[in-house]
Amino acid sequence: QSVLTQPPSVSAAPGEKVAISCSGDSSNIENNFVSWYQQLPGAAPKLLIYDSDKRPSGIPDRFSGSKSGTSATLGITGLQTGDEADYYCAVWYSNLTAVFGGGTKLTVL
Amino acid sequence: EVQLVETGGDLIKPGGSLRLSCAASGFAVSSHYMSWVRQAPGKGLDWVSIIYSDGKTFYADSVKGRFTISRDISKNTLYLQMNSLVAEDTAVYYCARVNYRSAYYWGQGTLVTVSS
């Protein structure tokens, strides 16, 4: 069991929006930076969000990140069938060791 | 363009050893923090180890004392030496370049299977 808790699955229809939560505590999320990763079926993970709310170049603004206290959220708007994937949150501590959440499977109905 | 290519995954018996390689291009591994992350079949991501640009290293408790992260500057390659392997080490192993407190660039992964 990870110290970061994510819902095992979420679903929404194409065009809709979805929020994926990542819950921790003061030892992880609250005082460190959160990143989010997308893993398409059979592929390597890909960075979506870093420093809690920043997007790398090339990541569409349909993807957003936020953090409040001991929780973080990944938001995806304008859902597409190509967004079906597993999504992981992660906390990187000050010494750059890290912990990942258990992952959330997104289904676009 | 940043590229990371892992090799070395194999079927290995419990108690055995294996060395994974991660060849980098587009940047110098010696100038960046580099990490290994693994994923057991059907499971989530699991952080394994990191090496700083100054050579300092850290490990997850599950691999401490058994795994060693290192690099070869002349070959621009990151390594993960894995000893005393157990079934729970079965996973796809990814190398990643760490930037902005995140695994910014990832390789495609290499599969390690520990089984008798």
Side-chain angles (χ1 to χ4, degrees), chain A residues 3-71:
Chain A
V3 297
L4 303 179
T5 301
Q6 298 182 235
S9 63
V10 296
S11 62
E16 293 189 342
K17 61 183 178 182
V18 70
I20 298 173
S21 61
C22 177
S23 178
D25 59 35
S26 59
S27 69
N28 42 63
I29 289 179
E30 187 166 32
N31 293 296
N32 293 285
F33 288 92
V34 178
S35 50
W36 288 92
Y37 304 85
Q38 176 192 61
Q39 187 175 33
L40 296 170
K46 173 184 173 183
L47 178 66
L48 286 180
I49 299 289
Y50 68 95
D51 278 3
S52 302
D53 60 6
K54 297 177 178 58
R55 285 187 309 277
S57 62
I59 301 300
D61 60 7
R62 301 189 299 108
F63 296 90
S64 64
S66 64
K67 189 181 87 165
S68 179
T70 60
S71 292

Short mmCIF file of all heavy atoms in Angstrom, two decimals, chain A residues 3-71:
data_model
loop_
_atom_site.label_atom_id
_atom_site.label_comp_id
_atom_site.label_asym_id
_atom_site.label_seq_id
_atom_site.Cartn_x
_atom_site.Cartn_y
_atom_site.Cartn_z
N VAL A 3 1.83 5.28 0.37
CA VAL A 3 1.46 6.34 1.30
C VAL A 3 0.63 7.41 0.60
O VAL A 3 0.07 8.29 1.24
CB VAL A 3 2.72 6.98 1.93
CG1 VAL A 3 3.47 5.95 2.75
CG2 VAL A 3 3.62 7.59 0.88
N LEU A 4 0.57 7.35 -0.74
CA LEU A 4 -0.25 8.25 -1.52
C LEU A 4 -1.45 7.45 -2.04
O LEU A 4 -1.28 6.45 -2.71
CB LEU A 4 0.53 8.83 -2.70
CG LEU A 4 1.82 9.57 -2.35
CD1 LEU A 4 2.52 10.07 -3.62
CD2 LEU A 4 1.55 10.73 -1.40
N THR A 5 -2.64 7.92 -1.73
CA THR A 5 -3.86 7.18 -2.06
C THR A 5 -4.56 7.78 -3.26
O THR A 5 -4.90 8.96 -3.27
CB THR A 5 -4.82 7.17 -0.86
OG1 THR A 5 -4.16 6.57 0.26
CG2 THR A 5 -6.07 6.36 -1.19
N GLN A 6 -4.76 6.96 -4.28
CA GLN A 6 -5.52 7.35 -5.46
C GLN A 6 -6.72 6.42 -5.61
O GLN A 6 -6.65 5.25 -5.22
CB GLN A 6 -4.66 7.21 -6.73
CG GLN A 6 -3.44 8.09 -6.79
CD GLN A 6 -2.70 7.89 -8.10
OE1 GLN A 6 -1.51 7.58 -8.13
NE2 GLN A 6 -3.39 8.10 -9.21
N PRO A 7 -7.81 6.91 -6.21
CA PRO A 7 -8.92 6.00 -6.51
C PRO A 7 -8.47 5.00 -7.56
O PRO A 7 -7.74 5.35 -8.49
CB PRO A 7 -10.00 6.94 -7.05
CG PRO A 7 -9.25 8.12 -7.57
CD PRO A 7 -8.06 8.28 -6.68
N PRO A 8 -8.87 3.74 -7.43
CA PRO A 8 -8.43 2.73 -8.41
C PRO A 8 -8.90 3.03 -9.83
O PRO A 8 -8.18 2.72 -10.78
CB PRO A 8 -9.07 1.44 -7.90
CG PRO A 8 -9.33 1.69 -6.46
CD PRO A 8 -9.64 3.14 -6.34
N SER A 9 -10.08 3.63 -9.95
CA SER A 9 -10.60 3.89 -11.28
C SER A 9 -11.53 5.10 -11.27
O SER A 9 -12.14 5.43 -10.25
CB SER A 9 -11.35 2.67 -11.81
OG SER A 9 -12.47 2.39 -11.00
N VAL A 10 -11.58 5.76 -12.41
CA VAL A 10 -12.53 6.82 -12.67
C VAL A 10 -13.00 6.65 -14.10
O VAL A 10 -12.30 6.05 -14.93
CB VAL A 10 -11.94 8.23 -12.47
CG1 VAL A 10 -11.53 8.45 -11.02
CG2 VAL A 10 -10.78 8.47 -13.40
N SER A 11 -14.18 7.20 -14.41
CA SER A 11 -14.67 7.13 -15.77
C SER A 11 -15.49 8.37 -16.09
O SER A 11 -16.06 9.01 -15.20
CB SER A 11 -15.50 5.86 -15.98
OG SER A 11 -16.63 5.87 -15.13
N ALA A 12 -15.55 8.68 -17.37
CA ALA A 12 -16.33 9.81 -17.85
C ALA A 12 -16.51 9.65 -19.35
O ALA A 12 -15.83 8.84 -19.99
CB ALA A 12 -15.65 11.13 -17.52
N ALA A 13 -17.43 10.42 -19.89
CA ALA A 13 -17.72 10.35 -21.32
C ALA A 13 -16.79 11.27 -22.11
O ALA A 13 -16.23 12.22 -21.55
CB ALA A 13 -19.17 10.73 -21.56
N PRO A 14 -16.63 10.98 -23.39
CA PRO A 14 -15.83 11.89 -24.23
C PRO A 14 -16.37 13.31 -24.16
O PRO A 14 -17.58 13.55 -24.12
CB PRO A 14 -16.01 11.31 -25.63
CG PRO A 14 -16.30 9.86 -25.41
CD PRO A 14 -17.11 9.81 -24.14
N GLY A 15 -15.43 14.26 -24.09
CA GLY A 15 -15.81 15.66 -24.02
C GLY A 15 -16.01 16.18 -22.61
O GLY A 15 -15.96 17.39 -22.38
N GLU A 16 -16.23 15.28 -21.67
CA GLU A 16 -16.42 15.69 -20.28
C GLU A 16 -15.08 15.92 -19.59
O GLU A 16 -14.02 15.81 -20.20
CB GLU A 16 -17.24 14.64 -19.54
CG GLU A 16 -18.67 14.53 -20.03
CD GLU A 16 -19.52 13.62 -19.14
OE1 GLU A 16 -18.95 12.84 -18.37
OE2 GLU A 16 -20.76 13.71 -19.25
N LYS A 17 -15.17 16.30 -18.32
CA LYS A 17 -13.95 16.49 -17.54
C LYS A 17 -13.93 15.52 -16.37
O LYS A 17 -14.97 15.01 -15.94
CB LYS A 17 -13.84 17.93 -17.02
CG LYS A 17 -14.97 18.35 -16.11
CD LYS A 17 -14.81 19.82 -15.72
CE LYS A 17 -15.98 20.28 -14.85
NZ LYS A 17 -15.86 21.73 -14.49
N VAL A 18 -12.72 15.28 -15.87
CA VAL A 18 -12.57 14.35 -14.77
C VAL A 18 -11.47 14.87 -13.84
O VAL A 18 -10.56 15.59 -14.28
CB VAL A 18 -12.22 12.94 -15.30
CG1 VAL A 18 -10.82 12.90 -15.87
CG2 VAL A 18 -12.40 11.88 -14.22
N ALA A 19 -11.59 14.53 -12.57
CA ALA A 19 -10.56 14.90 -11.60
C ALA A 19 -10.08 13.63 -10.91
O ALA A 19 -10.89 12.80 -10.48
CB ALA A 19 -11.12 15.87 -10.57
N ILE A 20 -8.77 13.47 -10.84
CA ILE A 20 -8.17 12.32 -10.17
C ILE A 20 -7.44 12.83 -8.92
O ILE A 20 -6.58 13.70 -9.02
CB ILE A 20 -7.19 11.59 -11.10
CG1 ILE A 20 -7.95 11.05 -12.32
CG2 ILE A 20 -6.49 10.46 -10.36
CD1 ILE A 20 -7.06 10.45 -13.39
N SER A 21 -7.80 12.28 -7.79
CA SER A 21 -7.23 12.76 -6.54
C SER A 21 -6.04 11.93 -6.09
O SER A 21 -5.89 10.76 -6.47
CB SER A 21 -8.31 12.74 -5.45
OG SER A 21 -8.76 11.40 -5.24
N CYS A 22 -5.22 12.56 -5.27
CA CYS A 22 -4.04 11.91 -4.70
C CYS A 22 -3.94 12.44 -3.27
O CYS A 22 -3.70 13.63 -3.05
CB CYS A 22 -2.81 12.27 -5.50
SG CYS A 22 -1.25 11.62 -4.88
N SER A 23 -4.16 11.55 -2.32
CA SER A 23 -4.23 11.97 -0.92
C SER A 23 -3.03 11.49 -0.14
O SER A 23 -2.63 10.33 -0.24
CB SER A 23 -5.53 11.43 -0.31
OG SER A 23 -5.62 11.77 1.05
N GLY A 24 -2.45 12.38 0.64
CA GLY A 24 -1.30 12.02 1.45
C GLY A 24 -1.39 12.63 2.83
O GLY A 24 -2.46 12.68 3.43
N ASP A 25 -0.25 13.11 3.33
CA ASP A 25 -0.25 13.78 4.63
C ASP A 25 0.86 14.81 4.68
O ASP A 25 1.49 15.12 3.66
CB ASP A 25 -0.12 12.74 5.77
CG ASP A 25 1.15 11.92 5.69
OD1 ASP A 25 2.19 12.46 5.27
OD2 ASP A 25 1.10 10.72 6.05
N SER A 26 1.10 15.36 5.87
CA SER A 26 2.06 16.45 6.00
C SER A 26 3.50 16.01 5.71
O SER A 26 4.36 16.86 5.46
CB SER A 26 1.98 17.06 7.40
OG SER A 26 2.25 16.07 8.37
N SER A 27 3.76 14.72 5.76
CA SER A 27 5.13 14.25 5.51
C SER A 27 5.41 14.09 4.02
O SER A 27 6.57 13.92 3.63
CB SER A 27 5.37 12.92 6.21
OG SER A 27 4.62 11.88 5.60
N ASN A 28 4.39 14.13 3.21
CA ASN A 28 4.63 13.94 1.78
C ASN A 28 4.03 15.10 0.96
O ASN A 28 4.71 16.08 0.68
CB ASN A 28 4.17 12.57 1.30
CG ASN A 28 2.85 12.13 1.88
OD1 ASN A 28 1.82 12.77 1.64
ND2 ASN A 28 2.85 11.05 2.63
N ILE A 29 2.77 15.03 0.61
CA ILE A 29 2.21 16.02 -0.31
C ILE A 29 2.32 17.44 0.23
O ILE A 29 2.72 18.36 -0.49
CB ILE A 29 0.76 15.67 -0.67
CG1 ILE A 29 0.72 14.43 -1.57
CG2 ILE A 29 0.07 16.85 -1.35
CD1 ILE A 29 -0.68 14.00 -1.96
N GLU A 30 1.95 17.63 1.49
CA GLU A 30 1.82 18.99 2.00
C GLU A 30 3.12 19.79 1.92
O GLU A 30 3.09 21.00 1.72
CB GLU A 30 1.31 18.98 3.45
CG GLU A 30 0.98 20.38 3.98
CD GLU A 30 0.18 20.33 5.27
OE1 GLU A 30 0.37 19.39 6.06
OE2 GLU A 30 -0.63 21.26 5.48
N ASN A 31 4.25 19.14 2.08
CA ASN A 31 5.51 19.88 2.14
C ASN A 31 6.49 19.52 1.02
O ASN A 31 7.69 19.78 1.14
CB ASN A 31 6.16 19.66 3.50
CG ASN A 31 5.36 20.27 4.62
OD1 ASN A 31 5.19 21.50 4.68
ND2 ASN A 31 4.80 19.44 5.49
N ASN A 32 5.97 18.94 -0.05
CA ASN A 32 6.83 18.58 -1.17
C ASN A 32 6.07 18.82 -2.48
O ASN A 32 4.92 19.20 -2.47
CB ASN A 32 7.24 17.10 -1.07
CG ASN A 32 8.15 16.85 0.10
OD1 ASN A 32 9.33 17.18 0.09
ND2 ASN A 32 7.59 16.26 1.16
N PHE A 33 6.79 18.59 -3.57
CA PHE A 33 6.19 18.85 -4.88
C PHE A 33 5.62 17.57 -5.48
O PHE A 33 6.19 16.49 -5.33
CB PHE A 33 7.23 19.46 -5.82
CG PHE A 33 7.57 20.87 -5.47
CD1 PHE A 33 8.63 21.14 -4.63
CD2 PHE A 33 6.81 21.92 -5.95
CE1 PHE A 33 8.95 22.43 -4.28
CE2 PHE A 33 7.12 23.22 -5.60
CZ PHE A 33 8.18 23.48 -4.77
N VAL A 34 4.50 17.72 -6.14
CA VAL A 34 3.78 16.59 -6.72
C VAL A 34 3.97 16.59 -8.24
O VAL A 34 3.98 17.64 -8.88
CB VAL A 34 2.28 16.67 -6.39
CG1 VAL A 34 1.52 15.52 -7.04
CG2 VAL A 34 2.08 16.66 -4.87
N SER A 35 4.12 15.42 -8.79
CA SER A 35 4.12 15.27 -10.24
C SER A 35 3.10 14.20 -10.62
O SER A 35 2.72 13.37 -9.80
CB SER A 35 5.52 14.92 -10.78
OG SER A 35 6.09 13.84 -10.07
N TRP A 36 2.67 14.27 -11.86
CA TRP A 36 1.67 13.33 -12.39
C TRP A 36 2.17 12.71 -13.68
O TRP A 36 2.80 13.39 -14.50
CB TRP A 36 0.35 14.06 -12.66
CG TRP A 36 -0.40 14.48 -11.45
CD1 TRP A 36 -0.32 15.67 -10.79
CD2 TRP A 36 -1.39 13.71 -10.76
NE1 TRP A 36 -1.18 15.68 -9.71
CE2 TRP A 36 -1.86 14.50 -9.67
CE3 TRP A 36 -1.94 12.44 -10.93
CZ2 TRP A 36 -2.84 14.05 -8.79
CZ3 TRP A 36 -2.91 11.98 -10.05
CH2 TRP A 36 -3.35 12.78 -8.99
N TYR A 37 1.85 11.44 -13.87
CA TYR A 37 2.33 10.68 -15.02
C TYR A 37 1.17 9.94 -15.67
O TYR A 37 0.27 9.45 -14.99
CB TYR A 37 3.40 9.67 -14.57
CG TYR A 37 4.53 10.35 -13.86
CD1 TYR A 37 4.45 10.62 -12.50
CD2 TYR A 37 5.65 10.79 -14.54
CE1 TYR A 37 5.46 11.30 -11.83
CE2 TYR A 37 6.67 11.47 -13.89
CZ TYR A 37 6.56 11.72 -12.53
OH TYR A 37 7.56 12.40 -11.88
N GLN A 38 1.24 9.87 -16.99
CA GLN A 38 0.26 9.12 -17.78
C GLN A 38 0.96 7.89 -18.34
O GLN A 38 2.06 8.00 -18.90
CB GLN A 38 -0.25 9.98 -18.94
CG GLN A 38 -1.21 9.27 -19.88
CD GLN A 38 -1.44 10.07 -21.16
OE1 GLN A 38 -0.50 10.34 -21.91
NE2 GLN A 38 -2.68 10.46 -21.40
N GLN A 39 0.33 6.74 -18.20
CA GLN A 39 0.88 5.53 -18.79
C GLN A 39 -0.17 4.90 -19.69
O GLN A 39 -1.13 4.28 -19.21
CB GLN A 39 1.35 4.54 -17.73
CG GLN A 39 2.10 3.34 -18.32
CD GLN A 39 2.68 2.42 -17.28
OE1 GLN A 39 2.12 2.23 -16.21
NE2 GLN A 39 3.83 1.82 -17.60
N LEU A 40 0.00 5.07 -20.98
CA LEU A 40 -0.89 4.44 -21.96
C LEU A 40 -0.62 2.94 -21.96
O LEU A 40 0.47 2.49 -21.60
CB LEU A 40 -0.65 5.04 -23.34
CG LEU A 40 -1.00 6.53 -23.48
CD1 LEU A 40 -0.50 7.07 -24.81
CD2 LEU A 40 -2.48 6.77 -23.32
N PRO A 41 -1.59 2.14 -22.38
CA PRO A 41 -1.42 0.68 -22.37
C PRO A 41 -0.17 0.25 -23.13
O PRO A 41 0.03 0.64 -24.28
CB PRO A 41 -2.70 0.19 -23.06
CG PRO A 41 -3.70 1.25 -22.78
CD PRO A 41 -2.95 2.54 -22.81
N GLY A 42 0.68 -0.53 -22.45
CA GLY A 42 1.87 -1.07 -23.09
C GLY A 42 3.00 -0.09 -23.27
O GLY A 42 4.01 -0.44 -23.91
N ALA A 43 2.87 1.11 -22.73
CA ALA A 43 3.89 2.15 -22.95
C ALA A 43 4.57 2.53 -21.64
O ALA A 43 4.11 2.18 -20.55
CB ALA A 43 3.26 3.38 -23.58
N ALA A 44 5.67 3.27 -21.76
CA ALA A 44 6.35 3.81 -20.60
C ALA A 44 5.56 5.00 -20.04
O ALA A 44 4.80 5.64 -20.78
CB ALA A 44 7.76 4.24 -20.97
N PRO A 45 5.72 5.30 -18.78
CA PRO A 45 5.08 6.49 -18.23
C PRO A 45 5.59 7.76 -18.91
O PRO A 45 6.70 7.80 -19.43
CB PRO A 45 5.49 6.46 -16.75
CG PRO A 45 5.84 5.04 -16.49
CD PRO A 45 6.44 4.54 -17.75
N LYS A 46 4.77 8.79 -18.84
CA LYS A 46 5.08 10.08 -19.44
C LYS A 46 4.70 11.16 -18.45
O LYS A 46 3.62 11.11 -17.85
CB LYS A 46 4.30 10.25 -20.73
CG LYS A 46 4.39 11.59 -21.41
CD LYS A 46 3.47 11.60 -22.62
CE LYS A 46 3.35 12.94 -23.28
NZ LYS A 46 2.40 12.91 -24.42
N LEU A 47 5.58 12.14 -18.27
CA LEU A 47 5.31 13.22 -17.34
C LEU A 47 4.23 14.15 -17.88
O LEU A 47 4.32 14.63 -19.01
CB LEU A 47 6.59 14.01 -17.08
CG LEU A 47 6.47 15.22 -16.16
CD1 LEU A 47 6.12 14.78 -14.74
CD2 LEU A 47 7.76 16.04 -16.18
N LEU A 48 3.23 14.41 -17.05
CA LEU A 48 2.15 15.34 -17.42
C LEU A 48 2.25 16.67 -16.66
O LEU A 48 1.98 17.73 -17.23
CB LEU A 48 0.79 14.73 -17.08
CG LEU A 48 0.24 13.61 -17.93
CD1 LEU A 48 -1.13 13.19 -17.37
CD2 LEU A 48 0.11 14.01 -19.39
N ILE A 49 2.55 16.58 -15.38
CA ILE A 49 2.56 17.74 -14.50
C ILE A 49 3.76 17.62 -13.56
O ILE A 49 4.02 16.53 -13.02
CB ILE A 49 1.28 17.82 -13.64
CG1 ILE A 49 0.03 17.96 -14.52
CG2 ILE A 49 1.37 18.95 -12.61
CD1 ILE A 49 -0.13 19.31 -15.20
N TYR A 50 4.48 18.72 -13.36
CA TYR A 50 5.55 18.74 -12.36
C TYR A 50 5.38 19.96 -11.47
O TYR A 50 4.62 20.88 -11.81
CB TYR A 50 6.94 18.71 -13.02
CG TYR A 50 7.29 19.96 -13.80
CD1 TYR A 50 8.02 21.00 -13.23
CD2 TYR A 50 6.90 20.09 -15.13
CE1 TYR A 50 8.34 22.13 -13.94
CE2 TYR A 50 7.22 21.23 -15.86
CZ TYR A 50 7.94 22.24 -15.27
OH TYR A 50 8.26 23.37 -15.98
N ASP A 51 6.07 19.95 -10.35
CA ASP A 51 5.95 21.05 -9.40
C ASP A 51 4.49 21.37 -9.08
O ASP A 51 4.11 22.54 -8.96
CB ASP A 51 6.67 22.31 -9.90
CG ASP A 51 8.17 22.27 -9.62
OD1 ASP A 51 8.63 21.24 -9.10
OD2 ASP A 51 8.86 23.25 -9.94
N SER A 52 3.70 20.33 -8.99
CA SER A 52 2.28 20.38 -8.61
C SER A 52 1.35 20.93 -9.67
O SER A 52 0.20 20.47 -9.78
CB SER A 52 2.09 21.21 -7.32
OG SER A 52 2.84 20.65 -6.27
N ASP A 53 1.79 21.94 -10.46
CA ASP A 53 0.85 22.57 -11.37
C ASP A 53 1.45 23.04 -12.68
O ASP A 53 0.82 23.83 -13.40
CB ASP A 53 0.17 23.76 -10.68
CG ASP A 53 1.17 24.82 -10.23
OD1 ASP A 53 2.37 24.70 -10.55
OD2 ASP A 53 0.74 25.77 -9.53
N LYS A 54 2.65 22.57 -13.02
CA LYS A 54 3.30 23.01 -14.25
C LYS A 54 3.30 21.91 -15.30
O LYS A 54 3.47 20.73 -14.97
CB LYS A 54 4.73 23.47 -13.95
CG LYS A 54 4.81 24.67 -13.02
CD LYS A 54 6.23 25.03 -12.71
CE LYS A 54 6.31 26.26 -11.83
NZ LYS A 54 5.59 26.08 -10.54
N ARG A 55 3.11 22.31 -16.55
CA ARG A 55 3.10 21.35 -17.64
C ARG A 55 4.40 21.42 -18.43
O ARG A 55 4.84 22.52 -18.80
CB ARG A 55 1.95 21.65 -18.62
CG ARG A 55 0.57 21.27 -18.14
CD ARG A 55 -0.44 21.46 -19.28
NE ARG A 55 -0.35 22.78 -19.87
CZ ARG A 55 -0.93 23.86 -19.39
NH1 ARG A 55 -1.66 23.77 -18.30
NH2 ARG A 55 -0.79 25.03 -19.98
N PRO A 56 5.00 20.26 -18.74
CA PRO A 56 6.15 20.28 -19.66
C PRO A 56 5.68 20.75 -21.03
O PRO A 56 4.50 20.68 -21.36
CB PRO A 56 6.58 18.81 -19.70
CG PRO A 56 5.93 18.16 -18.53
CD PRO A 56 4.68 18.93 -18.26
N SER A 57 6.63 21.20 -21.83
CA SER A 57 6.27 21.60 -23.18
C SER A 57 5.69 20.40 -23.93
O SER A 57 6.16 19.27 -23.78
CB SER A 57 7.49 22.15 -23.92
OG SER A 57 8.48 21.16 -24.02
N GLY A 58 4.66 20.67 -24.71
CA GLY A 58 4.04 19.61 -25.47
C GLY A 58 2.84 18.97 -24.80
O GLY A 58 2.08 18.23 -25.45
N ILE A 59 2.64 19.24 -23.53
CA ILE A 59 1.46 18.72 -22.83
C ILE A 59 0.32 19.71 -23.00
O ILE A 59 0.45 20.88 -22.61
CB ILE A 59 1.75 18.46 -21.35
CG1 ILE A 59 2.89 17.45 -21.18
CG2 ILE A 59 0.49 17.97 -20.63
CD1 ILE A 59 2.64 16.10 -21.80
N PRO A 60 -0.80 19.27 -23.55
CA PRO A 60 -1.91 20.22 -23.79
C PRO A 60 -2.49 20.77 -22.50
O PRO A 60 -2.44 20.13 -21.44
CB PRO A 60 -2.95 19.38 -24.55
CG PRO A 60 -2.49 17.97 -24.49
CD PRO A 60 -1.10 17.92 -24.03
N ASP A 61 -3.07 21.97 -22.61
CA ASP A 61 -3.62 22.62 -21.41
C ASP A 61 -4.93 21.98 -20.96
O ASP A 61 -5.55 22.45 -20.00
CB ASP A 61 -3.77 24.12 -21.63
CG ASP A 61 -4.68 24.47 -22.78
OD1 ASP A 61 -5.31 23.54 -23.35
OD2 ASP A 61 -4.75 25.66 -23.15
N ARG A 62 -5.35 20.90 -21.61
CA ARG A 62 -6.48 20.12 -21.08
C ARG A 62 -6.11 19.44 -19.77
O ARG A 62 -6.99 19.04 -19.00
CB ARG A 62 -6.91 19.04 -22.09
CG ARG A 62 -7.34 19.53 -23.43
CD ARG A 62 -7.95 18.41 -24.27
NE ARG A 62 -7.04 17.32 -24.56
CZ ARG A 62 -7.11 16.10 -24.02
NH1 ARG A 62 -8.08 15.82 -23.15
NH2 ARG A 62 -6.25 15.16 -24.36
N PHE A 63 -4.81 19.30 -19.56
CA PHE A 63 -4.30 18.67 -18.34
C PHE A 63 -3.86 19.76 -17.36
O PHE A 63 -3.12 20.67 -17.73
CB PHE A 63 -3.12 17.75 -18.64
CG PHE A 63 -3.47 16.58 -19.51
CD1 PHE A 63 -3.38 16.66 -20.90
CD2 PHE A 63 -3.92 15.38 -18.95
CE1 PHE A 63 -3.71 15.58 -21.70
CE2 PHE A 63 -4.25 14.30 -19.75
CZ PHE A 63 -4.15 14.40 -21.13
N SER A 64 -4.31 19.66 -16.12
CA SER A 64 -3.93 20.64 -15.12
C SER A 64 -3.69 19.95 -13.78
O SER A 64 -4.21 18.86 -13.52
CB SER A 64 -5.03 21.69 -14.96
OG SER A 64 -6.22 21.09 -14.47
N GLY A 65 -2.89 20.59 -12.95
CA GLY A 65 -2.60 20.05 -11.63
C GLY A 65 -2.81 21.11 -10.57
O GLY A 65 -2.62 22.30 -10.81
N SER A 66 -3.22 20.64 -9.40
CA SER A 66 -3.38 21.54 -8.27
C SER A 66 -3.05 20.80 -6.99
O SER A 66 -3.02 19.56 -6.96
CB SER A 66 -4.80 22.11 -8.21
OG SER A 66 -5.74 21.07 -7.99
N LYS A 67 -2.78 21.57 -5.95
CA LYS A 67 -2.48 20.98 -4.65
C LYS A 67 -3.06 21.86 -3.56
O LYS A 67 -3.03 23.09 -3.65
CB LYS A 67 -0.96 20.87 -4.45
CG LYS A 67 -0.56 20.07 -3.23
CD LYS A 67 0.96 20.02 -3.08
CE LYS A 67 1.48 21.21 -2.30
NZ LYS A 67 2.88 21.01 -1.85
N SER A 68 -3.63 21.22 -2.57
CA SER A 68 -4.16 21.94 -1.42
C SER A 68 -3.93 21.10 -0.18
O SER A 68 -4.50 20.01 -0.06
CB SER A 68 -5.65 22.24 -1.60
OG SER A 68 -6.16 22.92 -0.47
N GLY A 69 -3.11 21.59 0.70
CA GLY A 69 -2.84 20.86 1.93
C GLY A 69 -2.22 19.50 1.66
O GLY A 69 -1.16 19.39 1.04
N THR A 70 -2.90 18.45 2.10
CA THR A 70 -2.36 17.10 1.97
C THR A 70 -2.93 16.34 0.78
O THR A 70 -2.79 15.12 0.70
CB THR A 70 -2.64 16.31 3.26
OG1 THR A 70 -4.06 16.23 3.48
CG2 THR A 70 -1.97 16.95 4.48
N SER A 71 -3.54 17.07 -0.16
CA SER A 71 -4.10 16.42 -1.34
C SER A 71 -3.69 17.15 -2.61
O SER A 71 -3.45 18.37 -2.60
CB SER A 71 -5.62 16.38 -1.27
OG SER A 71 -6.04 15.51 -0.25
#
